[in-house]
Amino acid sequence: MKKVGLYFGTFNPIHIGHMIIANHMVEYSDLDEVWFVVTPQSPFKTKKTLLDNNHRYQMVFEATQHYPKLKPSTIEFDLPQPNYTINTLTYLKEKYPDDYQFCLIMGEDNLKGFHKWKNYELILEDYELFVYPRISNGVIDNQFKNHPKVTKVDAPIMEISSTFIRNNHKMGKNVRTLLPDSVWKYMDEMNFYR
């Protein structure tokens, strides 16, 4: 049974920070693969600057095609919206009962708010969390600090954001070095975020 880390995000666009973290997770933990789960719309974000689902999926596909352990996933595209992580995990467990053991990958900033997630106790009962460091405010809830299902992975701290890339691209700055080459080409050809 393969152990798969689910890395959720809008990936609007996917950038080298995402790639470095995902690759670090798959190379320096017991995960066999990392799936980039492209989220259609988060209950916490508005859709103003969000590119169409298929374009964001295509960029993730472009970014991961030469990395056999990193895979793009459209699994949330067909689930009712707004969707919650617990629903996706339940769906995946039913779809692949014997093939995969799923885990969650999240930044430390998400762990700080994890107690607000829908059914977070259920998630923790059944799934491991792999947490990468982020510079952020707030504190980690005591219940997660030495939890047997929470593993802190000493990945590099990446302070690159998709918002920064979109805003600076719109201002005409060169953001090419922050993106995988194939993603930059796709974004440029499609004239995104101008």
Side-chain angles (χ1 to χ4, degrees):
M1 188 182 272
K2 274 189 174 170
K3 194 167 183 179
V4 173
L6 301 171
Y7 191 3
F8 291 84
T10 50
F11 304 115
N12 185 36
I14 186 170
H15 53 66
I16 57 166
H18 296 130
M19 294 296 290
I20 289 167
I21 286 164
N23 191 65
H24 192 92
M25 289 290 177
V26 89
E27 294 296 335
Y28 299 97
S29 74
D30 62 350
L31 294 174
D32 298 303
E33 290 178 359
V34 168
W35 293 6
F36 286 92
V37 181
V38 182
T39 55
Q41 149 201 11
S42 147
F44 306 109
K45 281 183 185 166
T46 53
K47 257 190 154 170
K48 272 191 315 239
T49 57
L50 201 56
L51 280 186
D52 176 76
N53 294 344
N54 295 321
H55 286 308
R56 289 181 293 114
Y57 169 81
Q58 187 61 39
M59 288 191 285
V60 173
F61 172 82
E62 296 290 339
T64 56
Q65 61 181 334
H66 300 299
Y67 300 89
K69 296 178 187 173
L70 306 180
K71 312 228 182 277
S73 169
T74 58
I75 204 86
E76 289 202 324
F77 288 10
D78 303 323
L79 297 176
Q81 295 303 324
N83 186 34
Y84 296 95
T85 305
I86 187 72
N87 305 352
T88 305
L89 293 169
T90 306
Y91 175 74
L92 283 169
K93 197 182 242 179
E94 286 164 10
K95 189 174 162 90
Y96 304 107
D98 307 313
D99 306 324
Y100 301 108
Q101 176 193 347
F102 293 103
C103 310
L104 284 182
I105 293 174
M106 66 171 66
E108 217 172 304
D109 50 335
N110 283 323
L111 186 62
K112 288 172 183 172
F114 188 60
H115 59 284
K116 295 181 188 146
W117 286 30
K118 185 179 172 168
N119 301 114
Y120 80 90
E121 304 96 336
L122 275 180
I123 294 174
L124 263 188
E125 261 171 51
D126 293 335
Y127 300 92
E128 279 181 77
L129 307 186
F130 286 81
V131 180
Y132 59 87
R134 291 289 298 262
I135 296 169
S136 62
N137 297 323
V139 290
I140 293 169
D141 215 298
N142 276 337
Q143 60 179 320
F144 308 133
K145 279 198 177 136
N146 294 306
H147 198 285
K149 291 274 178 75
V150 178
T151 303
K152 285 185 133 183
V153 179
D154 194 18
I157 294 178
M158 302 307 301
E159 288 298 303
I160 302 169
S161 77
S162 298
T163 307
F164 176 87
I165 290 169
R166 289 194 309 272
N167 292 345
N168 283 278
H169 187 58
K170 193 189 275 175
M171 291 189 301
K173 306 272 186 216
N174 184 351
V175 293
R176 187 173 183 165
T177 56
L178 302 176
L179 301 157
D181 225 27
S182 51
V183 172
W184 165 257
K185 285 193 183 100
Y186 186 77
M187 200 173 105
D188 195 45
E189 276 164 23
M190 300 298 282
N191 211 19
F192 290 149
Y193 313 118
R194 290 272 188 229

